[in-house]
C-alpha cells in the first residue's frame, strides 16, 4: 500500500487510483473474468481478490483506515461471516458485545452452534463485563460502536488493550462511524469491518462489504474467502471507487445535520428520548469524544407514541424523509428497527436490547438540516393531533 501523507479529504479523491496519461484521470474498468496465466507472478482471478479494480478500492480504504491490507466482499454480512469463520474453529469461543446489528445477531444464533463454536455476550458499557466473560478458549472479541440502532458507545482502546494482553484477536464493525469519523486500528483493533453498502457507497445503489487489517491476518481471511467466493466484479468496484471520492464531504455534512437534528429533537416535547453520541447527555459522550473525529450521521429517537402502529403512522406522515431500509445515503431515511434491521430478533430479544416498537432510526442525509427538522416537526404535530382526537 502507498504511504499516505495527505489529509483524508485528499486521500478520498486520489489514493489508490490506477491512472496514467493513456487512462486519463479515472481508473479503467476491467470487467474480465478470464485472465492470462503465462508470464505472471500469480494467477489473476476475481475470486482470488487480486484484480486491478479490487486492489484499487482496497488501497484507498487501507489508507483511510490505516490498514496494511484488505478484501472486498459482495455484502457486509459476507465480510462478517467470512472473517469470523476464518478465525474460528470447533471448540473456540468468541465474545460479542450485546448491542449489535440484527443481521449479525441472527448469524451468530443461526450458524455458530452448528459449527461447534461457542459464544457469549458482554455489556458494551463496562470493561468488567468483557474481562469476566473471557475464557481460556476465547479467540475473538467482536464489537460495534456506535451500535445499531441505539448508538451505544464502546471504549475501543480499552477493549483492544484487554484483548492484546490475553492474545485475543479484536474485530469491530465500523459501519456507523465510517473511516472519516473513526479509525479503530489506530486505537489497537486488529480487524475493521464495514458494510460498504452504507456510507462508503453513500448513494443507496451499491451492495458490498470490506475487511481491513494487517497483511498477516488478511492472508488468513483470504484463504477462507477464496473458498466461499463472496467477491465482487470490476464494474461494481469502479462504482465504489467513484463513491469513495466524495466520502469525506458527504460524511462531514451528515455529521453537521445529525447533530443539529439531535439537539432539536432532544428539546422537542413530542419526543421521549434521543440517542446520539454527540449530545452531552449521551452516556457515552466523553468516550465518543476521545475516539471519534465526528459523531456520525445516525441517530434514533422515541416519539411520544405507543407501539409499532403509531410509529408507522408517524413515518407515513413524513413528506421529505423516506421510510426505507439501509442507511448512509445522501437522502435522509427512517425506519423502525423492530420491523427492519432487528426483525429477525424475537420480541423478548428486542426488549432485552432496549429496542422498543416505537423506536425510530434516522440516517441523516445531506439535505438542508432545517428541511429535515421541518418534516419531522410536521409529522409529530400530526401525530399529536391524531392522539388528541382519539382520546376524546
Amino acid at each position: 500500500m502507498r504511504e499516505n501523507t495527505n489529509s483524508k479529504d485528499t486521500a478520498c479523491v486520489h489514493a489508490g487510483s490506477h491512472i496514467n496519461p493513456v487512462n486519463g484521470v479515472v481508473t479503467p474498468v476491467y470487467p474480465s473474468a478470464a485472465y492470462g496465466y503465462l508470464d505472471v507472478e500469480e494467477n489473476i482471478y476475481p475470486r482470488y481478490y487480486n484484480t486491478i479494480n479490487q486492489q484499487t478500492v482496497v488501497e484507498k480504504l487501507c489508507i483511510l483506515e490505516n490498514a496494511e491490507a484488505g478484501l472486498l466482499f459482495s455484502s457486509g454480512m459476507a465480510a462478517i461471516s467470512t472473517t469470523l469463520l476464518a478465525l474460528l474453529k470447533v471448540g473456540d469461543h468468541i465474545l460479542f458485545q450485546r448491542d449489535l446489528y440484527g443481521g449479525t445477531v441472527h448469524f451468530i444464533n443461526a450458524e455458530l452452534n452448528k459449527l461447534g463454536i461457542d459464544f457469549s455476550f458482554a455489556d458494551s458499557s463496562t470493561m468488567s463485563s468483557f474481562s469476566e466473560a473471557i475464557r481460556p478458549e476465547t479467540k475473538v472479541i467482536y464489537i460495534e460502536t456506535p451500535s445499531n440502532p441505539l448508538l451505544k458507545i464502546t471504549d475501543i482502546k480499552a477493549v483492544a488493550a484487554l484483548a492484546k494482553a490475553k492474545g485475543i484477536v479484536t474485530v469491530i464493525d465500523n459501519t456507523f462511524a465510517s473511516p472519516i469519523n473513526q479509525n479503530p486500528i489506530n486505537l489497537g483493533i486488529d480487524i475493521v469491518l464495514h458494510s460498504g453498502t452504507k456510507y462508503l457507497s453513500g448513494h443507496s445503489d451499491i451492495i458490498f462489504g470490506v475487511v481491513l487489517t494487517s497483511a498477516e491476518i488478511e492472508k488468513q481471511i483470504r484463504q477462507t474467502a477464496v473458498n466461499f467466493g463472496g467477491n465482487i466484479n470490476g464494474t461494481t468496484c469502479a462504482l465504489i471507487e467513484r463513491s469513495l471520492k466524495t466520502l469525506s464531504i458527504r460524511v462531514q455534512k451528515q455529521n453537521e445535520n445529525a447533530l443539529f437534528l439531535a439537539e432539536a429533537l432532544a428539546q422537542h416535547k413530542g419526543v421521549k428520548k434521543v440517542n446520539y453520541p454527540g449530545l452531552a447527555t449521551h452516556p457515552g459522550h466523553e468516550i465518543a469524544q476521545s475516539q471519534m473525529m465526528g459523531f456520525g450521521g445516525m441517530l434514533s429517537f422515541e416519539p411520544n407514541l405507543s407501539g409499532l402502529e403509531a410509529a408507522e403512522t408517524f413515518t407515513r406522515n413524513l413528506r421529505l424523509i423516506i421510510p426505507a431500509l439501509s442507511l448512509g445515503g445522501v437522502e435522509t431515511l427512517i425506519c423502525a428497527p423492530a420491523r427492519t434491521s432487528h426483525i429477525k430478533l424475537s420480541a423478548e430479544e428486542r426488549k432485552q436490547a432496549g429496542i422498543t416498537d416505537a423506536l425510530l432510526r434516522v440516517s441523516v442525509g445531506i439535505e438542508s438540516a432545517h428541511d429535515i427538522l421541518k418534516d419531522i416537526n410536521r409529522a409529530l404535530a400530526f401525530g399529536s393531533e391524531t392522539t388528541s382526537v382519539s382520546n376524546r
Side-chain angles (χ1 to χ4, degrees):
M1 297 301 168
R2 300 177 190 171
E3 181 182 1
N4 180 40
T5 58
N6 296 315
S7 68
K8 287 186 179 181
D9 291 350
T10 302
C12 282
V13 177
H14 294 288
S17 296
H18 189 80
I19 62 175
N20 57 47
V22 176
N23 297 342
V25 298
V26 177
T27 303
V29 181
Y30 297 89
S32 181
Y35 289 80
Y37 66 92
L38 299 176
D39 304 318
V40 296
E41 292 183 7
E42 66 171 337
N43 290 336
I44 306 298
Y45 190 53
R47 186 167 58 84
Y48 297 165
Y49 298 85
N50 61 358
T51 63
I52 289 175
N53 290 119
Q54 289 170 326
Q55 292 177 335
T56 294
V57 175
V58 166
E59 183 167 345
K60 190 185 293 287
L61 289 169
C62 280
I63 287 176
L64 291 173
E65 282 285 21
N66 196 26
E68 291 180 349
L71 299 167
L72 295 178
F73 290 88
S74 55
S75 70
M77 280 309 306
I80 292 169
S81 58
T82 304
T83 296
L84 295 186
L85 297 181
L87 298 174
L88 299 164
K89 64 181 186 306
V90 175
D92 286 344
H93 171 257
I94 177 170
L95 178 57
F96 295 96
Q97 76 172 51
R98 189 166 300 282
D99 309 290
L100 295 172
Y101 164 58
T104 305
V105 176
H106 183 69
F107 166 77
I108 294 165
N109 291 329
E111 304 296 339
L112 293 189
N113 278 337
K114 292 193 300 187
L115 300 171
I117 299 167
D118 201 6
F119 60 87
S120 56
F121 295 92
D123 182 352
S124 60
S125 63
T126 64
M127 284 307 101
S128 61
S129 179
F130 281 95
S131 59
E132 291 168 4
I134 290 175
R135 307 174 188 174
E137 63 272 23
T138 303
K139 297 298 188 291
V140 176
I141 295 178
Y142 183 108
I143 63 174
E144 176 185 317
T145 181
S147 71
N148 181 3
L150 296 176
L151 287 299
K152 292 185 178 180
I153 300 296
T154 304
D155 190 329
I156 298 173
K157 189 177 291 187
V159 170
L162 173 65
K164 275 188 168 44
K166 296 181 178 294
I168 298 171
V169 175
T170 47
V171 182
I172 186 172
D173 184 336
N174 201 36
T175 299
F176 264 30
S178 87
I180 305 303
N181 288 328
Q182 187 168 267
N183 296 129
I185 290 174
N186 294 351
L187 300 171
I189 293 293
D190 296 308
I191 303 170
V192 173
L193 306 176
H194 288 273
S195 173
T197 311
K198 314 312 193 289
Y199 286 101
L200 304 186
S201 163
H203 295 80
S204 304
D205 59 0
I206 309 172
I207 296 178
F208 76 102
V210 63
V211 175
L212 300 162
T213 183
S214 67
E216 180 181 0
I217 295 177
E218 185 267 356
K219 184 178 180 180
Q220 180 182 353
I221 297 172
R222 182 189 291 257
Q223 292 172 349
T224 299
V226 167
N227 292 330
F228 287 175
N231 58 283
I232 55 179
N233 62 39
T235 303
T236 302
C237 290
L239 291 173
I240 295 168
E241 184 184 3
R242 179 209 61 185
S243 294
L244 288 173
K245 292 183 179 183
T246 61
L247 175 65
S248 182
I249 58 172
R250 286 189 281 105
V251 169
Q252 289 173 35
K253 176 63 173 176
Q254 288 163 320
N255 289 346
E256 295 169 7
N257 281 356
L259 180 59
F260 172 86
L261 190 61
E263 289 177 338
L265 292 178
Q267 303 299 318
H268 199 294
K269 63 181 181 180
V271 174
K272 187 185 304 181
K273 184 180 180 181
V274 179
N275 304 301
Y276 185 68
L279 295 176
T281 54
H282 189 287
H285 178 67
E286 290 187 8
I287 295 175
Q289 278 187 311
S290 71
Q291 64 190 28
M292 299 183 76
M293 288 78 79
F295 296 112
M298 297 300 303
L299 62 89
S300 60
F301 72 99
E302 291 185 46
N304 285 324
L305 302 171
S306 178
L308 191 57
E309 184 177 346
E312 289 192 355
T313 298
F314 165 80
T315 59
R316 291 179 190 279
N317 287 325
L318 294 166
R319 295 293 175 265
L320 172 67
I321 302 170
I322 305 168
L325 300 169
S326 201
L327 59 100
V330 293
E331 61 283 299
T332 299
L333 304 179
I334 193 167
C335 71
R339 284 287 307 276
T340 57
S341 62
H342 290 69
I343 193 171
K344 292 183 179 179
L345 274 63
S346 67
E348 182 59 31
E349 287 174 325
R350 288 196 296 270
K351 181 179 179 182
Q352 290 178 356
I355 301 169
T356 67
D357 285 346
L359 181 73
L360 296 168
R361 189 190 73 184
V362 183
S363 171
V364 184
I366 64 171
E367 308 98 332
S368 161
H370 294 277
D371 289 340
I372 299 169
L373 178 60
K374 183 168 62 177
D375 196 34
I376 292 179
N377 283 338
R378 180 172 51 240
L380 285 172
F382 185 91
S384 298
E385 291 169 7
T386 302
T387 302
S388 176
V389 170
S390 65
N391 287 340
R392 288 175 186 161

